[in-house]
Amino acid sequence: MCNICGCGHGEVTMEGKDNKKSDEYQTYLGQSEACFHTAGVEPSRIFEIEKDILTKNKHTAAHNRQHLKADDILALNFVSSPGSGKTTLLVETIKVLKEKKTIAVIEGDQQTSADAERIRKVGVQSLQINTGRGCHLDADMIHQAMHKLDMPLGGYLFIENVGNLVCPAGFDLGEAHKVVVVSTTEGEDKPLKYPDMFAASSLMIINKKDLIPHLNIDIKTLKENARKVNPHIAIIALSAQTGEGMDSWLKWLDGAKMMAQANQ
Amino acid sequence: MHEVSLANSLVELIEAQAKVENFLQVKEIIVEVGKLSHVEPKALSFAFEIAKTAIMSNAKLIILEPCGRAYCLSCEKTVPIEKRGEPCSYCKSYQIIVQEGVELKLKSLEVV
């Protein structure tokens, strides 16, 4: 301890350690019996923090996940660029499932409640989150939304993220899986251009399959590109509009639900 | 654009640490942003300048960028990778699992 001002740097016992970079201060430490430290001038300290910058979001996401698990709800986070057909896919999925399963939908968009209204029209509760200038949903928005919804016990919670292939990749919402939707009109190189999203997703849905004859797209290359980024990604090609391929998607949903229950 | 949210989270973490450890000024902030993470270091620096609060107004933000490393299931080696979507540099297999380079971490703070 400094004898003059009693600044007590040597008593720091928490995560901090002495500032090894400051030679000047090291000198003070060496002369602790009669140091020249001027009262009121604080020496610097270094704290080793080693904390994830997204700690708070991850904590809230884990909390959401616990809620969902307790209520036996499979939550999926749908991500894509704008216009891939996420809402149409949800509407068509809900039409098939709503008699057998309880479902709720959380819609994320910068503005308007158009998507939530489309979902409500098919008879399922839906809550719109407008992110304003925000480019993604985060775990706290979902937490708040979950408290406003009647939770679909034993069923599905579909979260339609903001149409954006970049930012939502990094934000865990507490979902069981991210499902990335890419439409045939977007070309085959999206997985290589926006790899984080495809790396973070469990399933890639190739939507608008019915348009393939009119387009210059190589579906095989699209699939290969997705697997270059994520060797374990499941892939289903379908058309939400015509219904082609919807069976495979519904089977995948069933499987994901069973896996979630088996992991309870 | 999500770098703004990340900068806000970083500022919150530092403020929380300041409350616990009773420091008044931050001199240096060391952050790790892995080369395979979803974050652009320049955008994070820019966003931090806007998000920072009084206790870090004079702080220097240092961003370290750890390289990517992945385990190759095919040749069973840990290999360096520059970016996602690249094959194993030895056997050219895409069956690789990213292990390092996705960090997004507040490493340390120098404070007075």
Side-chain angles (χ1 to χ4, degrees):
Chain A
M1 182 189 284
C2 167
N3 286 346
I4 295 172
C5 68
C7 62
H9 188 272
E11 289 174 3
V12 174
T13 56
M14 305 190 77
E15 288 178 280
K17 63 179 188 184
D18 296 335
N19 177 9
K20 298 283 188 287
K21 282 188 208 161
S22 169
D23 292 332
E24 203 180 6
Y25 186 66
Q26 290 302 309
T27 314
Y28 288 149
L29 283 180
Q31 302 169 345
S32 61
E33 288 305 308
C35 104
F36 307 106
H37 190 166
T38 313
V41 178
E42 280 285 314
S44 69
R45 298 176 282 165
I46 289 186
F47 292 102
E48 304 290 343
I49 313 283
E50 298 288 342
K51 260 194 190 164
D52 195 309
I53 293 175
L54 283 168
T55 296
K56 197 176 155 198
N57 189 71
K58 285 188 175 167
H59 179 81
T60 311
H63 177 79
N64 291 349
R65 200 165 270 123
Q66 270 181 342
H67 263 274
L68 292 159
K69 196 173 174 183
D71 290 345
D72 183 27
I73 296 167
L74 180 78
L76 299 178
N77 178 3
F78 290 80
V79 290
S80 80
S81 46
S84 66
K86 293 190 295 299
T87 315
T88 305
L89 175 66
L90 286 180
V91 164
E92 296 308 317
T93 306
I94 291 165
K95 281 182 189 168
V96 181
L97 287 181
K98 69 174 181 181
E99 301 304 328
K100 294 179 283 182
K101 298 278 184 187
T102 50
I103 303 169
V105 180
I106 297 173
E107 287 286 345
D109 277 302
Q110 284 198 314
Q111 292 187 41
T112 84
S113 55
D115 283 359
E117 281 158 23
R118 276 178 72 188
I119 300 292
R120 285 195 279 266
K121 269 188 190 159
V122 278
V124 160
Q125 61 164 337
S126 176
L127 192 140
Q128 180 80 46
I129 299 174
N130 283 136
T131 56
R133 291 192 180 86
C135 50
H136 59 271
L137 294 175
D138 65 31
D140 188 53
M141 294 174 193
I142 299 305
H143 181 238
Q144 290 181 39
M146 279 165 58
H147 280 285
K148 287 182 180 173
L149 283 168
D150 290 328
M151 290 300 276
L153 307 180
Y156 295 102
L157 174 65
F158 297 141
I159 303 165
E160 184 178 338
N161 218 314
V162 178
N164 176 346
L165 267 182
V166 184
C167 310
F171 293 82
D172 185 4
L173 306 179
E175 73 275 359
H177 303 283
K178 281 191 179 70
V179 175
V180 60
V181 181
V182 57
S183 58
T184 51
T185 52
E186 295 172 54
E188 55 275 287
D189 49 6
K190 276 279 156 71
L192 298 180
K193 285 179 175 169
Y194 303 95
D196 294 328
M197 193 62 91
F198 292 84
S201 299
S202 309
L203 170 68
M204 172 170 84
I205 290 182
I206 304 171
N207 193 21
K208 308 187 190 176
K209 192 183 175 187
D210 53 311
L211 296 181
I212 292 174
H214 312 287
L215 301 167
N216 188 17
I217 181 174
D218 180 359
I219 294 295
K220 188 168 165 274
T221 307
L222 172 60
K223 289 179 180 177
E224 280 171 5
N225 287 343
R227 291 204 165 112
K228 280 180 182 174
V229 172
N230 179 354
H232 306 296
I233 198 165
I235 301 174
I236 295 169
L238 56 79
S239 165
Q241 196 83 41
T242 67
E244 186 188 357
M246 284 292 280
D247 284 358
S248 307
W249 154 237
L250 295 169
K251 276 183 196 151
W252 185 91
L253 258 183
D254 250 359
K257 180 82 188 157
M258 275 192 274
M259 282 298 285
Q261 285 169 335
N263 289 332
Q264 285 277 342
Chain B
M1 205 167 135
H2 62 299
E3 280 81 1
V4 176
S5 320
L6 297 173
N8 284 330
S9 302
L10 176 61
V11 168
E12 276 178 32
L13 265 184
I14 297 169
E15 285 283 351
Q17 197 69 21
K19 281 207 182 93
V20 177
E21 306 290 356
N22 282 321
F23 53 78
L24 300 171
Q25 274 297 319
V26 184
K27 277 172 77 175
E28 190 176 275
I29 302 160
I30 301 184
V31 167
E32 234 175 44
V33 173
K35 283 206 167 137
L36 306 180
S37 74
H38 50 87
V39 179
E40 172 54 45
K42 277 184 192 157
L44 182 63
S45 290
F46 179 74
F48 177 75
E49 288 304 310
I50 298 159
K52 68 186 181 184
T53 52
I55 61 162
M56 54 205 96
S57 55
N58 298 316
K60 190 173 164 194
L61 178 68
I62 296 175
I63 301 181
L64 307 175
E65 295 179 66
C67 293
R69 291 177 77 79
Y71 181 74
C72 174
L73 296 173
S74 184
C75 67
E76 299 183 348
K77 281 192 183 105
T78 301
V79 295
I81 57 165
E82 281 290 312
K83 54 179 194 258
R84 286 191 192 271
E86 271 188 358
C88 166
S89 46
Y90 289 98
C91 70
K92 305 295 170 207
S93 162
Y94 287 97
Q95 297 290 312
I96 59 171
I97 298 168
V98 171
Q99 291 184 318
E100 290 170 38
V102 290
E103 300 84 354
L104 187 54
K105 212 195 275 176
L106 168 59
K107 272 194 80 65
S108 66
L109 291 175
E110 183 178 350
V111 304
V112 287

